[in-house]
mmCIF file of all heavy atoms in Angstrom:
data_model
loop_
_atom_site.group_PDB
_atom_site.id
_atom_site.type_symbol
_atom_site.label_atom_id
_atom_site.label_comp_id
_atom_site.label_asym_id
_atom_site.label_seq_id
_atom_site.Cartn_x
_atom_site.Cartn_y
_atom_site.Cartn_z
ATOM 1 N N ASP B 56 -25.851 1.051 -4.288
ATOM 2 C CA ASP B 56 -25.056 0.466 -3.229
ATOM 3 C C ASP B 56 -23.707 0.066 -3.792
ATOM 4 O O ASP B 56 -23.594 -0.356 -4.938
ATOM 5 C CB ASP B 56 -25.770 -0.774 -2.694
ATOM 6 C CG ASP B 56 -24.891 -1.552 -1.775
ATOM 7 O OD1 ASP B 56 -24.791 -1.148 -0.619
ATOM 8 O OD2 ASP B 56 -24.291 -2.535 -2.221
ATOM 9 N N LEU B 57 -22.684 0.235 -3.010
ATOM 10 C CA LEU B 57 -21.360 -0.190 -3.428
ATOM 11 C C LEU B 57 -20.766 -1.113 -2.379
ATOM 12 O O LEU B 57 -20.785 -0.800 -1.189
ATOM 13 C CB LEU B 57 -20.433 1.010 -3.624
ATOM 14 C CG LEU B 57 -20.768 1.931 -4.793
ATOM 15 C CD1 LEU B 57 -19.821 3.119 -4.801
ATOM 16 C CD2 LEU B 57 -20.708 1.197 -6.104
ATOM 17 N N THR B 58 -20.247 -2.215 -2.823
ATOM 18 C CA THR B 58 -19.564 -3.104 -1.892
ATOM 19 C C THR B 58 -18.125 -2.647 -1.723
ATOM 20 O O THR B 58 -17.642 -1.767 -2.424
ATOM 21 C CB THR B 58 -19.569 -4.541 -2.404
ATOM 22 O OG1 THR B 58 -18.911 -4.578 -3.651
ATOM 23 C CG2 THR B 58 -20.983 -5.055 -2.555
ATOM 24 N N ASP B 59 -17.452 -3.231 -0.794
ATOM 25 C CA ASP B 59 -16.063 -2.860 -0.592
ATOM 26 C C ASP B 59 -15.242 -3.270 -1.815
ATOM 27 O O ASP B 59 -15.646 -4.147 -2.572
ATOM 28 C CB ASP B 59 -15.510 -3.496 0.682
ATOM 29 C CG ASP B 59 -15.018 -4.906 0.448
ATOM 30 O OD1 ASP B 59 -13.904 -5.058 -0.079
ATOM 31 O OD2 ASP B 59 -15.749 -5.845 0.788
ATOM 32 N N PRO B 60 -14.133 -2.621 -2.032
ATOM 33 C CA PRO B 60 -13.393 -2.845 -3.270
ATOM 34 C C PRO B 60 -12.396 -3.987 -3.213
ATOM 35 O O PRO B 60 -11.564 -4.126 -4.108
ATOM 36 C CB PRO B 60 -12.664 -1.511 -3.462
ATOM 37 C CG PRO B 60 -12.424 -1.048 -2.080
ATOM 38 C CD PRO B 60 -13.591 -1.526 -1.257
ATOM 39 N N SER B 61 -12.467 -4.805 -2.203
ATOM 40 C CA SER B 61 -11.466 -5.852 -2.091
ATOM 41 C C SER B 61 -11.924 -7.170 -2.689
ATOM 42 O O SER B 61 -11.205 -8.156 -2.627
ATOM 43 C CB SER B 61 -11.107 -6.072 -0.614
ATOM 44 O OG SER B 61 -12.240 -6.533 0.097
ATOM 45 N N ALA B 62 -13.141 -7.185 -3.247
ATOM 46 C CA ALA B 62 -13.640 -8.433 -3.822
ATOM 47 C C ALA B 62 -12.705 -8.908 -4.934
ATOM 48 O O ALA B 62 -12.094 -8.110 -5.647
ATOM 49 C CB ALA B 62 -15.036 -8.226 -4.372
ATOM 50 N N ALA B 63 -12.643 -10.204 -5.079
ATOM 51 C CA ALA B 63 -11.733 -10.759 -6.080
ATOM 52 C C ALA B 63 -12.184 -10.433 -7.495
ATOM 53 O O ALA B 63 -11.370 -10.246 -8.395
ATOM 54 C CB ALA B 63 -11.626 -12.265 -5.902
ATOM 55 N N GLN B 64 -13.495 -10.365 -7.667
ATOM 56 C CA GLN B 64 -14.023 -10.087 -8.989
ATOM 57 C C GLN B 64 -14.818 -8.800 -8.935
ATOM 58 O O GLN B 64 -15.691 -8.641 -8.082
ATOM 59 C CB GLN B 64 -14.936 -11.228 -9.454
ATOM 60 C CG GLN B 64 -15.274 -11.196 -10.928
ATOM 61 C CD GLN B 64 -14.170 -11.783 -11.790
ATOM 62 O OE1 GLN B 64 -13.330 -12.514 -11.278
ATOM 63 N NE2 GLN B 64 -14.157 -11.446 -13.064
ATOM 64 N N LEU B 65 -14.534 -7.888 -9.836
ATOM 65 C CA LEU B 65 -15.205 -6.603 -9.837
ATOM 66 C C LEU B 65 -16.128 -6.521 -11.038
ATOM 67 O O LEU B 65 -16.345 -7.487 -11.744
ATOM 68 C CB LEU B 65 -14.164 -5.489 -9.831
ATOM 69 C CG LEU B 65 -13.244 -5.568 -8.608
ATOM 70 C CD1 LEU B 65 -12.060 -4.665 -8.788
ATOM 71 C CD2 LEU B 65 -14.006 -5.231 -7.344
ATOM 72 N N ALA B 66 -16.699 -5.342 -11.227
ATOM 73 C CA ALA B 66 -17.641 -5.174 -12.323
ATOM 74 C C ALA B 66 -17.016 -5.643 -13.622
ATOM 75 O O ALA B 66 -15.834 -5.425 -13.883
ATOM 76 C CB ALA B 66 -18.051 -3.726 -12.426
ATOM 77 N N GLY B 67 -17.835 -6.244 -14.460
ATOM 78 C CA GLY B 67 -17.309 -6.805 -15.677
ATOM 79 C C GLY B 67 -16.452 -8.005 -15.353
ATOM 80 O O GLY B 67 -16.662 -8.704 -14.365
ATOM 81 N N SER B 68 -15.452 -8.250 -16.142
ATOM 82 C CA SER B 68 -14.583 -9.396 -15.891
ATOM 83 C C SER B 68 -13.266 -8.967 -15.284
ATOM 84 O O SER B 68 -12.298 -9.703 -15.300
ATOM 85 C CB SER B 68 -14.330 -10.157 -17.200
ATOM 86 O OG SER B 68 -13.678 -9.309 -18.122
ATOM 87 N N LEU B 69 -13.248 -7.746 -14.767
ATOM 88 C CA LEU B 69 -12.022 -7.263 -14.143
ATOM 89 C C LEU B 69 -11.748 -8.044 -12.871
ATOM 90 O O LEU B 69 -12.541 -8.040 -11.937
ATOM 91 C CB LEU B 69 -12.153 -5.783 -13.803
ATOM 92 C CG LEU B 69 -11.009 -5.170 -13.009
ATOM 93 C CD1 LEU B 69 -9.718 -5.213 -13.822
ATOM 94 C CD2 LEU B 69 -11.332 -3.744 -12.626
ATOM 95 N N SER B 70 -10.649 -8.711 -12.860
ATOM 96 C CA SER B 70 -10.270 -9.396 -11.638
ATOM 97 C C SER B 70 -9.400 -8.481 -10.814
ATOM 98 O O SER B 70 -8.576 -7.740 -11.335
ATOM 99 C CB SER B 70 -9.530 -10.687 -11.966
ATOM 100 O OG SER B 70 -8.341 -10.402 -12.668
ATOM 101 N N ASN B 71 -9.602 -8.505 -9.540
ATOM 102 C CA ASN B 71 -8.884 -7.637 -8.623
ATOM 103 C C ASN B 71 -7.795 -8.450 -7.949
ATOM 104 O O ASN B 71 -8.076 -9.368 -7.183
ATOM 105 C CB ASN B 71 -9.877 -7.085 -7.583
ATOM 106 C CG ASN B 71 -9.197 -6.202 -6.561
ATOM 107 O OD1 ASN B 71 -8.062 -5.771 -6.770
ATOM 108 N ND2 ASN B 71 -9.889 -5.943 -5.476
ATOM 109 N N ASP B 72 -6.581 -8.096 -8.231
ATOM 110 C CA ASP B 72 -5.498 -8.867 -7.629
ATOM 111 C C ASP B 72 -5.283 -8.496 -6.167
ATOM 112 O O ASP B 72 -4.498 -9.120 -5.472
ATOM 113 C CB ASP B 72 -4.206 -8.714 -8.425
ATOM 114 C CG ASP B 72 -3.778 -7.269 -8.560
ATOM 115 O OD1 ASP B 72 -4.334 -6.413 -7.843
ATOM 116 O OD2 ASP B 72 -2.911 -6.998 -9.397
ATOM 117 N N ASN B 73 -6.017 -7.452 -5.724
ATOM 118 C CA ASN B 73 -6.006 -7.102 -4.313
ATOM 119 C C ASN B 73 -4.583 -6.897 -3.802
ATOM 120 O O ASN B 73 -4.228 -7.340 -2.722
ATOM 121 C CB ASN B 73 -6.705 -8.191 -3.494
ATOM 122 C CG ASN B 73 -7.406 -7.603 -2.271
ATOM 123 O OD1 ASN B 73 -7.372 -6.397 -2.057
ATOM 124 N ND2 ASN B 73 -8.027 -8.454 -1.488
ATOM 125 N N ASP B 74 -3.796 -6.232 -4.625
ATOM 126 C CA ASP B 74 -2.388 -6.090 -4.284
ATOM 127 C C ASP B 74 -2.084 -4.771 -3.590
ATOM 128 O O ASP B 74 -0.944 -4.374 -3.459
ATOM 129 C CB ASP B 74 -1.534 -6.217 -5.548
ATOM 130 C CG ASP B 74 -1.845 -5.118 -6.544
ATOM 131 O OD1 ASP B 74 -2.791 -4.331 -6.293
ATOM 132 O OD2 ASP B 74 -1.136 -5.033 -7.561
ATOM 133 N N GLY B 75 -3.125 -4.087 -3.166
ATOM 134 C CA GLY B 75 -2.894 -2.829 -2.484
ATOM 135 C C GLY B 75 -2.820 -1.644 -3.410
ATOM 136 O O GLY B 75 -2.676 -0.510 -2.958
ATOM 137 N N GLN B 76 -2.913 -1.882 -4.681
ATOM 138 C CA GLN B 76 -2.938 -0.768 -5.611
ATOM 139 C C GLN B 76 -4.318 -0.136 -5.626
ATOM 140 O O GLN B 76 -5.280 -0.657 -5.086
ATOM 141 C CB GLN B 76 -2.565 -1.250 -7.013
ATOM 142 C CG GLN B 76 -1.152 -1.762 -7.128
ATOM 143 C CD GLN B 76 -0.137 -0.640 -7.248
ATOM 144 O OE1 GLN B 76 -0.459 0.512 -7.041
ATOM 145 N NE2 GLN B 76 1.093 -0.985 -7.560
ATOM 146 N N HIS B 77 -4.383 0.954 -6.322
ATOM 147 C CA HIS B 77 -5.612 1.723 -6.413
ATOM 148 C C HIS B 77 -6.788 0.890 -6.922
ATOM 149 O O HIS B 77 -6.674 0.182 -7.911
ATOM 150 C CB HIS B 77 -5.365 2.896 -7.348
ATOM 151 C CG HIS B 77 -6.598 3.537 -7.863
ATOM 152 N ND1 HIS B 77 -7.397 4.308 -7.059
ATOM 153 C CD2 HIS B 77 -7.167 3.520 -9.074
ATOM 154 C CE1 HIS B 77 -8.403 4.742 -7.780
ATOM 155 N NE2 HIS B 77 -8.298 4.280 -9.006
ATOM 156 N N GLN B 78 -7.888 0.996 -6.265
ATOM 157 C CA GLN B 78 -9.109 0.305 -6.681
ATOM 158 C C GLN B 78 -10.295 1.129 -6.219
ATOM 159 O O GLN B 78 -10.407 1.451 -5.037
ATOM 160 C CB GLN B 78 -9.181 -1.085 -6.059
ATOM 161 C CG GLN B 78 -10.449 -1.839 -6.389
ATOM 162 C CD GLN B 78 -10.515 -2.193 -7.850
ATOM 163 O OE1 GLN B 78 -9.664 -2.913 -8.332
ATOM 164 N NE2 GLN B 78 -11.498 -1.667 -8.561
ATOM 165 N N LEU B 79 -11.156 1.500 -7.115
ATOM 166 C CA LEU B 79 -12.307 2.316 -6.753
ATOM 167 C C LEU B 79 -13.588 1.760 -7.350
ATOM 168 O O LEU B 79 -13.570 1.142 -8.413
ATOM 169 C CB LEU B 79 -12.140 3.755 -7.266
ATOM 170 C CG LEU B 79 -10.984 4.592 -6.754
ATOM 171 C CD1 LEU B 79 -11.007 5.949 -7.439
ATOM 172 C CD2 LEU B 79 -11.052 4.761 -5.256
ATOM 173 N N LEU B 80 -14.671 2.025 -6.656
ATOM 174 C CA LEU B 80 -16.015 1.798 -7.176
ATOM 175 C C LEU B 80 -16.769 3.099 -6.967
ATOM 176 O O LEU B 80 -16.683 3.693 -5.896
ATOM 177 C CB LEU B 80 -16.710 0.671 -6.413
ATOM 178 C CG LEU B 80 -15.962 -0.660 -6.341
ATOM 179 C CD1 LEU B 80 -16.694 -1.599 -5.399
ATOM 180 C CD2 LEU B 80 -15.835 -1.271 -7.709
ATOM 181 N N TRP B 81 -17.535 3.515 -7.962
ATOM 182 C CA TRP B 81 -18.136 4.830 -7.788
ATOM 183 C C TRP B 81 -19.394 5.042 -8.607
ATOM 184 O O TRP B 81 -19.656 4.361 -9.584
ATOM 185 C CB TRP B 81 -17.134 5.929 -8.115
ATOM 186 C CG TRP B 81 -16.248 5.729 -9.312
ATOM 187 C CD1 TRP B 81 -14.995 5.180 -9.303
ATOM 188 C CD2 TRP B 81 -16.514 6.080 -10.674
ATOM 189 N NE1 TRP B 81 -14.475 5.182 -10.567
ATOM 190 C CE2 TRP B 81 -15.380 5.726 -11.431
ATOM 191 C CE3 TRP B 81 -17.578 6.684 -11.319
ATOM 192 C CZ2 TRP B 81 -15.288 5.942 -12.799
ATOM 193 C CZ3 TRP B 81 -17.497 6.896 -12.685
ATOM 194 C CH2 TRP B 81 -16.360 6.528 -13.404
ATOM 195 N N PHE B 82 -20.165 6.046 -8.149
ATOM 196 C CA PHE B 82 -21.304 6.613 -8.871
ATOM 197 C C PHE B 82 -20.890 7.999 -9.341
ATOM 198 O O PHE B 82 -20.135 8.690 -8.665
ATOM 199 C CB PHE B 82 -22.512 6.797 -7.948
ATOM 200 C CG PHE B 82 -23.203 5.540 -7.556
ATOM 201 C CD1 PHE B 82 -24.214 5.596 -6.620
ATOM 202 C CD2 PHE B 82 -22.878 4.322 -8.105
ATOM 203 C CE1 PHE B 82 -24.888 4.459 -6.230
ATOM 204 C CE2 PHE B 82 -23.542 3.172 -7.738
ATOM 205 C CZ PHE B 82 -24.554 3.246 -6.791
ATOM 206 N N GLU B 83 -21.479 8.421 -10.433
ATOM 207 C CA GLU B 83 -21.074 9.722 -10.951
ATOM 208 C C GLU B 83 -22.220 10.374 -11.701
ATOM 209 O O GLU B 83 -22.970 9.713 -12.416
ATOM 210 C CB GLU B 83 -19.887 9.543 -11.888
ATOM 211 C CG GLU B 83 -19.334 10.816 -12.469
ATOM 212 C CD GLU B 83 -18.102 10.528 -13.311
ATOM 213 O OE1 GLU B 83 -17.002 10.545 -12.752
ATOM 214 O OE2 GLU B 83 -18.261 10.278 -14.523
ATOM 215 N N MET B 84 -22.331 11.680 -11.532
ATOM 216 C CA MET B 84 -23.142 12.515 -12.418
ATOM 217 C C MET B 84 -22.177 13.235 -13.335
ATOM 218 O O MET B 84 -21.172 13.785 -12.884
ATOM 219 C CB MET B 84 -23.951 13.532 -11.623
ATOM 220 C CG MET B 84 -25.117 12.942 -10.865
ATOM 221 S SD MET B 84 -26.360 12.215 -11.944
ATOM 222 C CE MET B 84 -26.766 13.604 -13.005
ATOM 223 N N LEU B 85 -22.507 13.273 -14.617
ATOM 224 C CA LEU B 85 -21.534 13.733 -15.601
ATOM 225 C C LEU B 85 -22.194 14.677 -16.596
ATOM 226 O O LEU B 85 -23.257 14.378 -17.136
ATOM 227 C CB LEU B 85 -20.976 12.504 -16.327
ATOM 228 C CG LEU B 85 -20.070 12.703 -17.519
ATOM 229 C CD1 LEU B 85 -18.750 13.275 -17.072
ATOM 230 C CD2 LEU B 85 -19.853 11.375 -18.229
ATOM 231 N N ASN B 86 -21.598 15.847 -16.798
ATOM 232 C CA ASN B 86 -21.999 16.748 -17.877
ATOM 233 C C ASN B 86 -20.955 16.662 -18.967
ATOM 234 O O ASN B 86 -19.757 16.849 -18.717
ATOM 235 C CB ASN B 86 -22.058 18.201 -17.397
ATOM 236 C CG ASN B 86 -23.308 18.536 -16.599
ATOM 237 O OD1 ASN B 86 -23.467 19.674 -16.186
ATOM 238 N ND2 ASN B 86 -24.176 17.575 -16.370
ATOM 239 N N GLU B 87 -21.391 16.429 -20.168
ATOM 240 C CA GLU B 87 -20.456 16.389 -21.288
ATOM 241 C C GLU B 87 -20.584 17.664 -22.123
ATOM 242 O O GLU B 87 -21.672 18.177 -22.315
ATOM 243 C CB GLU B 87 -20.719 15.175 -22.162
ATOM 244 C CG GLU B 87 -20.433 13.872 -21.434
ATOM 245 C CD GLU B 87 -20.617 12.674 -22.323
ATOM 246 O OE1 GLU B 87 -19.658 12.290 -22.997
ATOM 247 O OE2 GLU B 87 -21.732 12.134 -22.335
ATOM 248 N N ASN B 88 -19.475 18.118 -22.641
ATOM 249 C CA ASN B 88 -19.417 19.291 -23.515
ATOM 250 C C ASN B 88 -20.209 20.476 -22.964
ATOM 251 O O ASN B 88 -21.099 20.998 -23.613
ATOM 252 C CB ASN B 88 -19.943 18.928 -24.906
ATOM 253 C CG ASN B 88 -19.105 17.845 -25.536
ATOM 254 O OD1 ASN B 88 -17.891 17.901 -25.495
ATOM 255 N ND2 ASN B 88 -19.755 16.854 -26.107
ATOM 256 N N PRO B 89 -19.916 20.884 -21.763
ATOM 257 C CA PRO B 89 -20.633 22.022 -21.212
ATOM 258 C C PRO B 89 -20.220 23.321 -21.903
ATOM 259 O O PRO B 89 -19.212 23.391 -22.586
ATOM 260 C CB PRO B 89 -20.189 22.030 -19.750
ATOM 261 C CG PRO B 89 -18.824 21.444 -19.792
ATOM 262 C CD PRO B 89 -18.861 20.401 -20.878
ATOM 263 N N GLU B 90 -21.013 24.317 -21.679
ATOM 264 C CA GLU B 90 -20.721 25.605 -22.303
ATOM 265 C C GLU B 90 -19.714 26.361 -21.450
ATOM 266 O O GLU B 90 -19.980 27.432 -20.939
ATOM 267 C CB GLU B 90 -22.010 26.406 -22.445
ATOM 268 C CG GLU B 90 -23.014 25.737 -23.343
ATOM 269 C CD GLU B 90 -24.372 26.428 -23.281
ATOM 270 O OE1 GLU B 90 -24.505 27.390 -22.519
ATOM 271 O OE2 GLU B 90 -25.263 25.989 -24.001
ATOM 272 N N GLY B 91 -18.587 25.805 -21.299
ATOM 273 C CA GLY B 91 -17.569 26.438 -20.487
ATOM 274 C C GLY B 91 -16.507 25.424 -20.174
ATOM 275 O O GLY B 91 -16.427 24.379 -20.801
ATOM 276 N N SER B 92 -15.712 25.742 -19.197
ATOM 277 C CA SER B 92 -14.582 24.871 -18.947
ATOM 278 C C SER B 92 -14.746 24.083 -17.661
ATOM 279 O O SER B 92 -15.325 24.535 -16.686
ATOM 280 C CB SER B 92 -13.298 25.697 -18.860
ATOM 281 O OG SER B 92 -13.356 26.539 -17.740
ATOM 282 N N CYS B 93 -14.272 22.885 -17.704
ATOM 283 C CA CYS B 93 -14.055 22.089 -16.507
ATOM 284 C C CYS B 93 -12.735 21.390 -16.717
ATOM 285 O O CYS B 93 -12.639 20.501 -17.579
ATOM 286 C CB CYS B 93 -15.149 21.063 -16.311
ATOM 287 S SG CYS B 93 -16.518 21.631 -15.313
ATOM 288 N N GLY B 94 -11.733 21.790 -16.030
ATOM 289 C CA GLY B 94 -10.427 21.215 -16.264
ATOM 290 C C GLY B 94 -9.848 21.733 -17.576
ATOM 291 O O GLY B 94 -10.481 22.475 -18.313
ATOM 292 N N ALA B 95 -8.661 21.321 -17.828
ATOM 293 C CA ALA B 95 -7.951 21.878 -18.968
ATOM 294 C C ALA B 95 -8.537 21.438 -20.305
ATOM 295 O O ALA B 95 -8.426 22.142 -21.302
ATOM 296 C CB ALA B 95 -6.484 21.478 -18.889
ATOM 297 N N ASP B 96 -9.183 20.279 -20.333
ATOM 298 C CA ASP B 96 -9.665 19.840 -21.635
ATOM 299 C C ASP B 96 -11.067 20.353 -21.958
ATOM 300 O O ASP B 96 -11.545 20.222 -23.072
ATOM 301 C CB ASP B 96 -9.604 18.325 -21.769
ATOM 302 C CG ASP B 96 -10.596 17.619 -20.858
ATOM 303 O OD1 ASP B 96 -11.314 18.305 -20.117
ATOM 304 O OD2 ASP B 96 -10.644 16.392 -20.911
ATOM 305 N N GLN B 97 -11.723 20.940 -20.992
ATOM 306 C CA GLN B 97 -12.983 21.633 -21.200
ATOM 307 C C GLN B 97 -14.064 20.757 -21.816
ATOM 308 O O GLN B 97 -14.902 21.240 -22.564
ATOM 309 C CB GLN B 97 -12.768 22.871 -22.076
ATOM 310 C CG GLN B 97 -11.762 23.817 -21.487
ATOM 311 C CD GLN B 97 -11.688 25.122 -22.246
ATOM 312 O OE1 GLN B 97 -12.467 25.376 -23.138
ATOM 313 N NE2 GLN B 97 -10.747 25.966 -21.894
ATOM 314 N N THR B 98 -14.061 19.505 -21.532
ATOM 315 C CA THR B 98 -15.069 18.645 -22.136
ATOM 316 C C THR B 98 -16.071 18.071 -21.147
ATOM 317 O O THR B 98 -17.191 17.789 -21.520
ATOM 318 C CB THR B 98 -14.420 17.452 -22.863
ATOM 319 O OG1 THR B 98 -13.648 16.708 -21.928
ATOM 320 C CG2 THR B 98 -13.562 17.924 -24.011
ATOM 321 N N GLU B 99 -15.693 17.903 -19.920
ATOM 322 C CA GLU B 99 -16.596 17.250 -18.989
ATOM 323 C C GLU B 99 -16.452 17.804 -17.577
ATOM 324 O O GLU B 99 -15.367 18.171 -17.154
ATOM 325 C CB GLU B 99 -16.322 15.739 -18.930
ATOM 326 C CG GLU B 99 -16.622 15.030 -20.231
ATOM 327 C CD GLU B 99 -16.287 13.554 -20.166
ATOM 328 O OE1 GLU B 99 -15.642 13.142 -19.184
ATOM 329 O OE2 GLU B 99 -16.668 12.847 -21.095
ATOM 330 N N CYS B 100 -17.594 17.859 -16.897
ATOM 331 C CA CYS B 100 -17.597 18.110 -15.452
ATOM 332 C C CYS B 100 -18.238 16.897 -14.803
ATOM 333 O O CYS B 100 -19.090 16.255 -15.398
ATOM 334 C CB CYS B 100 -18.446 19.317 -15.101
ATOM 335 S SG CYS B 100 -17.978 20.865 -15.865
ATOM 336 N N TRP B 101 -17.877 16.613 -13.583
ATOM 337 C CA TRP B 101 -18.511 15.485 -12.918
ATOM 338 C C TRP B 101 -18.491 15.647 -11.406
ATOM 339 O O TRP B 101 -17.691 16.417 -10.865
ATOM 340 C CB TRP B 101 -17.837 14.166 -13.290
ATOM 341 C CG TRP B 101 -16.438 13.998 -12.771
ATOM 342 C CD1 TRP B 101 -16.070 13.485 -11.564
ATOM 343 C CD2 TRP B 101 -15.232 14.336 -13.441
ATOM 344 N NE1 TRP B 101 -14.703 13.488 -11.446
ATOM 345 C CE2 TRP B 101 -14.164 14.003 -12.592
ATOM 346 C CE3 TRP B 101 -14.949 14.894 -14.698
ATOM 347 C CZ2 TRP B 101 -12.832 14.210 -12.945
ATOM 348 C CZ3 TRP B 101 -13.624 15.104 -15.055
ATOM 349 C CH2 TRP B 101 -12.583 14.760 -14.182
ATOM 350 N N GLN B 102 -19.393 14.950 -10.762
ATOM 351 C CA GLN B 102 -19.416 14.800 -9.316
ATOM 352 C C GLN B 102 -19.475 13.310 -9.041
ATOM 353 O O GLN B 102 -20.295 12.613 -9.629
ATOM 354 C CB GLN B 102 -20.632 15.490 -8.697
ATOM 355 C CG GLN B 102 -20.794 16.942 -9.106
ATOM 356 C CD GLN B 102 -19.637 17.797 -8.682
ATOM 357 O OE1 GLN B 102 -19.091 17.580 -7.599
ATOM 358 N NE2 GLN B 102 -19.257 18.753 -9.507
ATOM 359 N N GLN B 103 -18.651 12.841 -8.173
ATOM 360 C CA GLN B 103 -18.503 11.409 -8.000
ATOM 361 C C GLN B 103 -18.421 11.048 -6.514
ATOM 362 O O GLN B 103 -17.761 11.736 -5.752
ATOM 363 C CB GLN B 103 -17.218 10.979 -8.716
ATOM 364 C CG GLN B 103 -16.941 9.498 -8.721
ATOM 365 C CD GLN B 103 -15.622 9.211 -9.454
ATOM 366 O OE1 GLN B 103 -14.667 8.746 -8.845
ATOM 367 N NE2 GLN B 103 -15.575 9.507 -10.746
ATOM 368 N N VAL B 104 -19.099 9.987 -6.140
ATOM 369 C CA VAL B 104 -19.006 9.447 -4.786
ATOM 370 C C VAL B 104 -18.633 7.986 -4.900
ATOM 371 O O VAL B 104 -19.215 7.253 -5.710
ATOM 372 C CB VAL B 104 -20.344 9.572 -4.029
ATOM 373 C CG1 VAL B 104 -20.215 8.992 -2.625
ATOM 374 C CG2 VAL B 104 -20.784 11.016 -3.951
ATOM 375 N N GLY B 105 -17.681 7.551 -4.118
ATOM 376 C CA GLY B 105 -17.262 6.168 -4.233
ATOM 377 C C GLY B 105 -16.569 5.672 -2.990
ATOM 378 O O GLY B 105 -16.521 6.331 -1.952
#
Side-chain angles (χ1 to χ4, degrees):
Chain B
D56 170 80
L57 292 176
T58 60
D59 85 79
S61 63
Q64 194 81 19
L65 301 167
S68 61
L69 174 64
S70 62
N71 178 15
D72 57 13
N73 212 1
D74 62 354
Q76 295 280 11
H77 163 72
Q78 177 67 61
L79 298 178
L80 306 172
W81 41 267
F82 287 173
E83 182 176 270
M84 287 297 304
L85 173 69
N86 282 181
E87 294 183 88
N88 299 315
E90 297 170 358
S92 65
C93 269
D96 68 359
Q97 303 188 7
T98 59
E99 295 178 349
C100 301
W101 68 88
Q102 307 298 323
Q103 184 181 115
V104 180

